[in-house]
Amino acid sequence: MRVTAVYACVRLIAGAIASLPLSVYQRQDEGRQRVRNDLWWLLNEQPCPSVSAAVFWEYLVAQMLLTGDALAEIERGRGGSIRQLIPLDSRAVAVRQINNRLRYEFCRDGIWLGRDQDDILHIPGFGFDGTRGMSVIRHAAREAIGLALAAESFSSRFFASGAHPDVALKVPGKMTQEQIDNLRRIWANKYGGAHNSSLPIVLTEGTDLKEVTLSAQDSQLIEARRFQVADIARAFGVPPHMIGETDKSTSWGSGIEQQGIGFVQYTLAPHLNRIEQEINRKCFRTERLFVEFNVEGLLRGDSKARADYYTRALGGTQNPAWMTPNEVRRLENLPPLAGGDQLAQPKDFSNASATRETHEPPSTTAE
């Protein structure tokens, strides 16, 4: 996390997921219905007294990206009801497979605890091997992060020495050790460090100056650091332009709307799917109830594009409508209107229906 590209990728993904509403639905014969129960409060407001839901999901997603696994204890009350969700440090939890079931062991308040897999939310990263997921840091971006740290360390030393490479003083003839030490001391006092970078050095008796290390330009430091940012972003599945690397970058589509859609579909969707399935199978154990992230806010375009979409959805171009006014208002966080739950029908469609009813041939069935 000391590398800014890693910090930006983790912050972006974790923050985006933590900002999404996690709705609870009940399946019905005709569609589904949103419900507000105790689990909704735990998932969206306060999983446990010590943290809010946003902090909880940011922590879990960061753990999944950095260590490969996100773990949280499901504390149940009487009757199996869920009382709270307690985040766990995945690095301090031992995971073992016993009789085709996972057992989790960890320490809390000086006491070792063991939990069955039914009482632990376990959201692994990509490449789950049966007990652990693959860490992006260990398996994909370790070398890239190491190079980024090395480049940053070199930059720090380079600018600390006055933004000049290492040099050698070439003196004709032989010098005593005392003269060599004096020359080194004079050079360090006059030319060492950023605070002395503007002071001149006086070379006499034919003394020559030779560089013995590559300069920042010759070593392509800037280009290397840009490449490492793109390489780290690639490992996390984040477009480089979304973490500030815009040099020669490409994006999904040409507009902000398309970039947001691409980020949701290709970066967030796999993480969201794993989280939803883990909650469904551990917290409900029934197909009647399920959770689903609402990504509508991230997929919305600008005001003009959204207005055009709603116009077509409401049947404003003389086409059958597929959304009601209240459904549109709900997406825009507006209160419902009286009579706003009816689908609008185009005039041509209504006239055609009326014509068919008026000119319907008489029945030939005998009375």
Side-chain angles (χ1 to χ4, degrees):
M1 291 290 280
R2 289 186 296 145
V3 179
T4 55
V6 176
Y7 182 91
C9 289
V10 174
R11 178 194 57 79
L12 178 66
I13 298 175
I17 294 178
S19 66
L20 295 176
L22 187 55
S23 302
V24 180
Y25 295 96
Q26 180 178 352
R27 288 187 175 90
Q28 297 180 338
D29 295 336
E30 298 179 357
R32 61 183 183 178
Q33 181 181 4
R34 186 177 300 180
V35 297
R36 294 286 182 92
N37 53 17
D38 294 338
L39 185 60
W40 179 92
W41 174 264
L42 296 178
L43 296 175
N44 291 273
E45 297 294 340
Q46 182 176 283
C48 62
S50 59
V51 295
S52 65
V55 176
F56 175 82
W57 289 116
E58 280 183 339
Y59 177 78
L60 289 191
V61 175
Q63 288 276 302
M64 178 185 63
L65 296 173
L66 296 174
T67 69
D69 300 273
L71 301 175
E73 180 186 1
I74 305 175
E75 185 178 293
R76 303 184 187 272
R78 293 182 178 179
S81 61
I82 300 176
R83 297 176 53 188
Q84 59 180 342
L85 302 173
I86 306 174
L88 301 174
D89 186 351
S90 61
R91 298 168 298 178
V93 178
V95 184
R96 296 190 298 165
Q97 194 172 46
I98 303 175
N99 298 327
N100 294 326
R101 294 187 66 84
L102 296 180
R103 180 173 175 81
Y104 301 82
E105 298 175 350
F106 54 92
C107 183
R108 177 182 296 153
D109 298 330
I111 302 175
W112 278 99
L113 304 174
R115 294 291 184 266
D116 182 72
Q117 63 180 25
D118 291 342
D119 296 322
I120 296 291
L121 279 181
H122 185 177
I123 306 167
F126 172 78
F128 182 64
D129 62 1
T131 57
R132 293 285 188 176
M134 293 175 59
S135 167
V136 178
I137 302 299
R138 291 196 305 267
H139 293 85
R142 177 168 55 183
E143 299 300 330
I145 293 172
L147 289 174
L149 287 171
E152 186 174 349
S153 177
F154 176 82
S155 301
S156 178
R157 293 195 307 269
F158 179 75
F159 286 104
S161 62
H164 288 280
D166 295 336
V167 297
L169 297 176
K170 184 178 180 182
V171 181
K174 187 177 182 180
M175 298 179 64
T176 64
Q177 186 62 42
E178 182 180 358
Q179 290 174 327
I180 294 175
D181 294 339
N182 288 336
L183 183 58
R184 286 175 173 172
R185 185 170 57 254
I186 293 173
W187 177 269
N189 292 337
K190 293 293 186 179
Y191 212 61
H195 60 285
N196 289 332
S197 59
S198 61
L199 298 179
I201 181 70
V202 179
L203 302 178
T204 61
E205 300 295 336
T207 303
D208 194 9
L209 186 68
K210 297 292 184 182
E211 292 185 5
V212 295
T213 59
L214 293 174
S215 65
Q217 181 177 2
D218 293 336
S219 61
Q220 296 183 328
L221 178 62
I222 302 301
E223 288 77 7
R225 298 195 70 178
R226 284 177 177 172
F227 175 78
Q228 295 313 128
V229 170
D231 204 24
I232 292 172
R234 181 163 46 245
F236 282 95
V238 173
H241 69 273
M242 297 192 74
I243 60 172
E245 177 51 54
T246 58
D247 183 64
K248 299 179 182 179
S249 65
T250 59
S251 58
W252 300 302
S254 58
I256 298 298
E257 180 181 8
Q258 294 302 318
Q259 294 176 14
I261 292 175
F263 177 66
V264 173
Q265 290 180 341
Y266 302 115
T267 303
L268 297 185
H271 302 311
L272 300 179
N273 190 37
R274 285 194 294 269
I275 295 173
E276 291 169 354
Q277 291 186 358
E278 183 69 3
I279 294 174
N280 290 338
R281 76 189 192 101
K282 296 287 182 66
C283 298
F284 294 127
R285 301 177 179 275
T286 175
E287 63 178 12
R288 187 171 59 90
L289 295 173
F290 66 97
V291 297
E292 185 177 290
F293 281 100
N294 184 5
V295 298
E296 186 66 31
L298 296 179
L299 295 176
R300 290 194 303 178
D302 54 30
S303 299
K304 183 179 183 303
R306 200 159 68 249
D308 293 341
Y309 171 79
Y310 290 152
T311 299
R312 293 192 298 269
L314 294 173
T317 56
Q318 300 303 314
N319 292 318
W322 69 83
M323 292 182 68
T324 67
N326 281 344
E327 289 175 334
V328 172
R329 294 178 65 84
R330 190 179 302 115
L331 292 177
E332 294 296 317
N333 294 321
L334 296 173
L337 295 176
D341 293 322
Q342 300 295 325
L343 285 173
Q345 294 185 357
K347 293 181 179 179
D348 294 341
F349 182 80
S350 301
N351 293 337
S353 300
T355 301
R356 285 195 300 269
E357 293 176 358
T358 303
H359 297 85
E360 186 176 2
S363 175
T364 58
T365 303
E367 294 293 337

